[in-house]
Amino acid sequence: MKNTVSTLQKQKQEGEKITMLTCYDYSTAKLMEEVGVNTILVGDSLGNTMLGYSDTIQVTMEDMIHHCAAVSRGIKDIFLVCDMPFMSYQTSVYDAVVNAGRLMKEGHANMVKLEGGKEVCPQIEAIVKASIPVCAHLGLTPQSIHALGGYKVQGKTENAAQKLIDDARAVQKAGASMLVLECVPAKLAKKITEILDIPTIGIGAGNGCDGQVLVFQDMLGMFTDYVPKFVKQFANVGEVMKGAFRDYVDAVQKGSFPAEEHTYKIDDEIIDKLY
Ligand code: KIV
């Protein structure tokens, strides 16, 4: 069954958890489709995991479109959310609508995600008016990393927690149909989830959210530059890959690869006639 804004909303109402993973390429998207993941986020975390940047600030619209379009070709029923990169929506409402439109038209996204609370509500309203579904993102918002002063848990004081609740209400009122909560104390994320009508997706926000998201290289143990506390490694694919790379190097060096079964044949008669 195709996942849509309505089916995700229904999952919240019926208490059925929503699954989301990040993904940035066609082959991985196909694997996620096969196991029935509800939603893929083409996150601007691709700046870290795919492009080797130290943050998400340098990620461009072209990067997002390129990866989102690749993912879209590998899925059928998965709902596709694409991040709006830094400075593609903060600059003006006009920029926000134009760039959200590009992610839909050129990246084939089903929804766009942007970071921020009350300050981006005019952008959310305008994008939604253009018939583009919006996912908001509160808590630790990596595009504001220099303003936040580092990757830290957000909303721990009374004022900060109340601001998060106020921002969550504001983005819902502005028309957002989903909310990502990143690095927020579990009890606060649960409270926000209970207050809101729209689904919340947590990352480092406990299990009281309506769904969960993880960066796929983190949960597969493929990205070890920095492993946050909230990451669970569901497999150690990094070690499996290294083992295979080692075996390949070894086989090529020893001449045992390619073997007979990997080799194309030609008649000896033809070979003998060649000079
Ligand atoms: O870019 C990303 O992958 C994200 C998730 C961490 C929610 O925004």
Side-chain angles (χ1 to χ4, degrees), residues 118-156:
K118 284 184 184 163
E119 70 283 7
V120 292
C121 281
Q123 281 88 332
I124 296 176
E125 270 171 30
I127 296 170
V128 171
K129 262 194 203 141
S131 304
I132 299 173
V134 172
C135 175
H137 182 157
L138 291 171
L140 175 59
T141 45
Q143 292 176 16
S144 308
I145 198 63
H146 298 297
L148 294 174
Y151 295 95
K152 305 186 259 211
V153 179
Q154 302 295 308
K156 284 181 82 167

Side-chain angles (χ1 to χ4, degrees), residues 17 181 183-187 189-190 193 200-213 230:
K17 294 281 185 185
L181 290 170
C183 277
V184 172
K187 283 187 180 166
K190 186 168 186 288
T193 300
T200 60
I201 309 290
I203 175 161
N207 66 6
C209 293
D210 298 307
Q212 296 293 325
V213 58
F230 59 75

